[in-house]
Amino acid sequence: MNLSRKVDTMSLFDYIASSRELPTGEFGSKRKRVEGSGSKITVFQNEEHPYIPLDIFLGPKLQINEEDIEVYNSMADIASIGISHLHDGLLAQIRHHFTLPHVYQLYSNWGGLSFDPAFKKSFPNEYQANVKCFKELIKLMRDHREAGDTFEIYSCWIGEEHEPKKEALSQIIELDTADSLQSFELKDKRYILFQ
């Protein structure tokens, strides 16, 4: 067995399903400057680091131009969620976990969708980024629902889409009160219904 190949394919993927089409793209990032994608470096300038001389990143050695630098005030500012279409092959593999017709990949950037009080104490900046990602997810669902709509979320390791969900981990969350949760965690083979 080629162990390096196995490690490369070990990724937990999250999926979201809806009764109506959802917009695709990235939601929630607050860029301080430099619009556009393809940045080579990300820098935080905040109270802890009020001045970072950007010229240390510039020059012929690194081959980075000023327009390649994205600057943010905090990790929470850069944190975002994304929704993307699934290619037909992956959609066919994951479809059986959902009852709703529109299924997408759900991902987060510079944050995650899991948080709890212990995480807040140990990693306050990461906690804030994760809470922001969760709130962006809740906002996205609220903004794109009509009366009676529900959303489904499911997570599994890539390559294990065919395996059954773990019913003991299934959860129902009220969308109207979801932003008051003190903890939330996406787990392997967990199905969550937001209603």
Coordinates of all heavy atoms in Angstrom, one line a residue, residues 33-70:
R33 N -8.0 45.1 1.9 CA -7.5 45.7 0.7 C -7.1 44.6 -0.3 O -7.0 43.5 0.1 CB -6.4 46.7 0.9 CG -5.1 46.0 1.3 CD -4.0 47.1 1.4 NE -2.9 46.7 0.6 CZ -1.7 47.0 0.8 NH1 -1.4 47.7 1.8 NH2 -0.8 46.7 0.0
V34 N -6.9 44.9 -1.5 CA -6.5 44.0 -2.5 C -7.6 43.0 -2.9 O -7.7 42.0 -2.3 CB -5.2 43.3 -2.3 CG1 -4.8 42.5 -3.5 CG2 -4.1 44.3 -1.9
E35 N -8.5 43.4 -3.8 CA -9.5 42.5 -4.3 C -9.0 41.5 -5.2 O -7.9 41.7 -5.8 CB -10.6 43.4 -5.0 CG -11.4 44.2 -4.0 CD -12.2 43.4 -3.0 OE1 -12.7 42.4 -3.3 OE2 -12.3 43.9 -1.8
G36 N -9.7 40.5 -5.4 CA -9.3 39.5 -6.4 C -8.7 38.2 -5.8 O -8.5 38.1 -4.6
S37 N -8.6 37.2 -6.6 CA -8.1 35.9 -6.1 C -6.7 35.7 -6.6 O -6.2 36.5 -7.4 CB -9.1 34.8 -6.6 OG -9.1 34.8 -8.0
G38 N -6.1 34.6 -6.2 CA -4.8 34.3 -6.7 C -3.7 34.9 -5.8 O -2.6 35.0 -6.2
S39 N -4.1 35.4 -4.6 CA -3.1 36.0 -3.8 C -2.0 35.0 -3.3 O -2.4 33.8 -3.2 CB -3.7 36.6 -2.5 OG -4.6 37.7 -2.9
K40 N -0.8 35.4 -3.2 CA 0.2 34.5 -2.8 C 0.5 34.5 -1.3 O 1.1 33.6 -0.7 CB 1.5 34.9 -3.5 CG 1.5 34.7 -5.0 CD 2.8 35.0 -5.7 CE 2.7 34.8 -7.2 NZ 3.9 35.2 -7.8
I41 N 0.0 35.6 -0.6 CA 0.3 35.7 0.8 C -0.9 36.4 1.5 O -1.5 37.3 0.9 CB 1.6 36.4 1.1 CG1 2.1 36.3 2.5 CG2 1.6 37.8 0.6 CD1 3.6 36.6 2.7
T42 N -1.1 36.0 2.8 CA -2.2 36.7 3.6 C -1.5 37.2 4.8 O -0.7 36.5 5.4 CB -3.2 35.6 3.9 OG1 -3.8 35.1 2.8 CG2 -4.3 36.3 4.8
V43 N -1.8 38.5 5.2 CA -1.3 39.1 6.3 C -2.4 39.7 7.2 O -3.4 40.2 6.7 CB -0.3 40.3 5.8 CG1 0.2 41.1 7.0 CG2 0.8 39.8 4.9
F44 N -2.2 39.6 8.5 CA -3.1 40.2 9.4 C -2.5 41.4 10.0 O -1.3 41.4 10.5 CB -3.4 39.2 10.6 CG -4.1 38.0 10.2 CD1 -3.5 36.8 10.2 CD2 -5.4 38.0 9.7 CE1 -4.1 35.6 9.8 CE2 -6.1 36.9 9.3 CZ -5.4 35.7 9.3
Q45 N -3.2 42.6 10.0 CA -2.7 43.8 10.7 C -3.8 44.1 11.7 O -5.0 44.4 11.3 CB -2.6 44.9 9.7 CG -1.3 44.8 8.8 CD -1.2 46.0 7.9 OE1 -2.1 46.5 7.4 NE2 0.1 46.3 7.6
N46 N -3.5 44.0 13.0 CA -4.5 44.3 14.0 C -3.8 44.9 15.2 O -2.7 45.3 15.1 CB -5.3 43.0 14.3 CG -4.4 41.9 14.8 OD1 -3.3 42.2 15.3 ND2 -4.8 40.7 14.6
E47 N -4.6 45.0 16.3 CA -4.0 45.6 17.5 C -2.7 44.9 18.0 O -1.8 45.6 18.4 CB -5.0 45.5 18.7 CG -6.4 45.9 18.4 CD -7.2 44.9 17.6 OE1 -7.3 43.7 18.0 OE2 -7.8 45.3 16.6
E48 N -2.6 43.6 17.8 CA -1.4 42.9 18.2 C -0.3 43.1 17.3 O 0.9 43.1 17.6 CB -1.7 41.4 18.3 CG -2.7 41.0 19.4 CD -3.2 39.5 19.3 OE1 -2.4 38.7 18.7 OE2 -4.2 39.2 19.8
H49 N -0.6 43.3 16.0 CA 0.4 43.6 15.0 C 0.0 44.8 14.1 O -0.5 44.6 13.0 CB 0.5 42.3 14.1 CG 0.8 41.1 14.8 ND1 2.0 40.8 15.4 CD2 0.0 40.1 15.1 CE1 1.9 39.6 16.0 NE2 0.7 39.2 15.9
P50 N 0.0 46.0 14.7 CA -0.5 47.2 14.0 C 0.2 47.5 12.7 O -0.4 48.1 11.8 CB -0.4 48.3 15.0 CG 0.6 47.8 16.0 CD 0.6 46.3 16.0
Y51 N 1.5 47.2 12.7 CA 2.2 47.6 11.5 C 3.1 46.4 11.0 O 4.0 46.0 11.7 CB 3.1 48.8 11.7 CG 4.0 49.1 10.5 CD1 3.4 49.6 9.4 CD2 5.3 48.8 10.5 CE1 4.2 49.9 8.2 CE2 6.1 49.1 9.4 CZ 5.5 49.6 8.2 OH 6.2 49.9 7.1
I52 N 2.8 45.9 9.9 CA 3.6 44.8 9.3 C 4.1 45.4 8.0 O 3.4 45.8 7.1 CB 2.8 43.5 9.0 CG1 2.2 43.0 10.3 CG2 3.6 42.5 8.3 CD1 1.3 41.8 10.1
P53 N 5.4 45.6 8.0 CA 6.0 46.2 6.7 C 5.8 45.3 5.6 O 6.5 44.3 5.4 CB 7.5 46.5 7.1 CG 7.7 45.5 8.2 CD 6.5 45.3 8.9
L54 N 4.9 45.6 4.7 CA 4.6 44.8 3.6 C 5.8 44.6 2.6 O 5.9 43.6 1.9 CB 3.4 45.3 2.8 CG 2.1 45.3 3.6 CD1 0.9 45.8 2.7 CD2 1.7 44.0 4.2
D55 N 6.7 45.6 2.7 CA 7.8 45.5 1.8 C 8.8 44.4 2.1 O 9.5 43.9 1.2 CB 8.6 46.8 1.7 CG 9.1 47.3 3.1 OD1 8.6 46.8 4.1 OD2 10.1 48.1 3.1
I56 N 8.7 43.8 3.3 CA 9.5 42.6 3.6 C 9.0 41.4 2.7 O 9.8 40.5 2.6 CB 9.5 42.2 5.1 CG1 8.2 41.8 5.5 CG2 10.0 43.4 5.9 CD1 8.2 41.1 6.9
F57 N 7.8 41.5 2.2 CA 7.3 40.4 1.4 C 7.5 40.6 -0.1 O 7.3 39.7 -0.9 CB 5.8 40.2 1.7 CG 5.4 39.8 3.1 CD1 4.8 40.8 3.9 CD2 5.8 38.6 3.6 CE1 4.5 40.5 5.2 CE2 5.5 38.3 4.9 CZ 4.8 39.2 5.7
L58 N 7.9 41.8 -0.4 CA 8.1 42.2 -1.8 C 9.5 42.0 -2.3 O 10.4 41.9 -1.5 CB 7.7 43.6 -2.0 CG 6.2 44.0 -1.6 CD1 6.0 45.4 -1.7 CD2 5.2 43.2 -2.4
G59 N 9.7 41.9 -3.6 CA 11.0 41.9 -4.1 C 11.2 40.7 -5.0 O 10.4 39.8 -5.1
P60 N 12.3 40.7 -5.7 CA 12.6 39.7 -6.7 C 12.8 38.3 -6.2 O 12.5 37.3 -6.8 CB 13.8 40.2 -7.5 CG 14.5 41.1 -6.5 CD 13.4 41.7 -5.7
K61 N 13.3 38.2 -4.9 CA 13.6 36.8 -4.4 C 12.3 36.0 -4.2 O 12.2 34.9 -4.5 CB 14.3 37.0 -3.0 CG 15.8 37.2 -3.1 CD 16.4 37.1 -1.7 CE 17.9 37.2 -1.8 NZ 18.5 37.2 -0.5
L62 N 11.3 36.7 -3.6 CA 10.0 36.0 -3.4 C 9.1 36.0 -4.6 O 8.1 35.3 -4.6 CB 9.3 36.6 -2.2 CG 10.1 36.5 -0.8 CD1 9.3 37.1 0.3 CD2 10.3 35.0 -0.5
Q63 N 9.3 36.9 -5.5 CA 8.5 37.1 -6.7 C 7.0 37.4 -6.3 O 6.1 36.8 -6.8 CB 8.6 35.9 -7.6 CG 9.9 35.7 -8.2 CD 10.0 34.5 -9.1 OE1 9.1 33.7 -9.2 NE2 11.2 34.3 -9.8
I64 N 6.9 38.2 -5.3 CA 5.5 38.6 -4.9 C 5.4 40.1 -5.1 O 6.3 40.9 -4.7 CB 5.3 38.3 -3.4 CG1 5.4 36.8 -3.2 CG2 4.0 38.9 -2.9 CD1 5.3 36.3 -1.7
N65 N 4.3 40.5 -5.7 CA 4.0 41.9 -5.9 C 3.0 42.4 -4.9 O 2.3 41.6 -4.3 CB 3.4 42.2 -7.3 CG 4.4 41.7 -8.4 OD1 5.6 42.0 -8.3 ND2 3.9 40.9 -9.3
E66 N 2.9 43.7 -4.7 CA 2.0 44.2 -3.7 C 0.6 43.8 -3.9 O -0.2 43.5 -3.0 CB 2.1 45.7 -3.6 CG 1.3 46.3 -2.4 CD 1.6 47.7 -2.1 OE1 2.6 48.3 -2.7 OE2 1.0 48.3 -1.2
E67 N 0.2 43.7 -5.2 CA -1.2 43.2 -5.5 C -1.4 41.8 -5.2 O -2.6 41.3 -5.2 CB -1.6 43.5 -6.9 CG -0.7 42.9 -8.0 CD 0.5 43.7 -8.4 OE1 0.8 44.7 -7.7 OE2 1.2 43.3 -9.4
D68 N -0.4 41.0 -4.9 CA -0.5 39.6 -4.5 C -0.7 39.4 -3.0 O -0.9 38.3 -2.5 CB 0.8 38.8 -4.9 CG 1.0 38.7 -6.4 OD1 0.0 38.7 -7.1 OD2 2.1 38.7 -6.8
I69 N -0.7 40.5 -2.2 CA -0.9 40.5 -0.8 C -2.3 40.9 -0.4 O -2.8 41.9 -0.8 CB 0.1 41.4 -0.1 CG1 1.6 41.0 -0.5 CG2 0.0 41.4 1.4 CD1 2.6 42.0 0.0
E70 N -2.9 40.0 0.4 CA -4.2 40.3 1.0 C -4.0 40.6 2.4 O -3.4 39.9 3.1 CB -5.2 39.2 0.8 CG -5.7 38.9 -0.6 CD -6.7 37.9 -0.7 OE1 -6.9 37.1 0.2 OE2 -7.4 37.8 -1.8

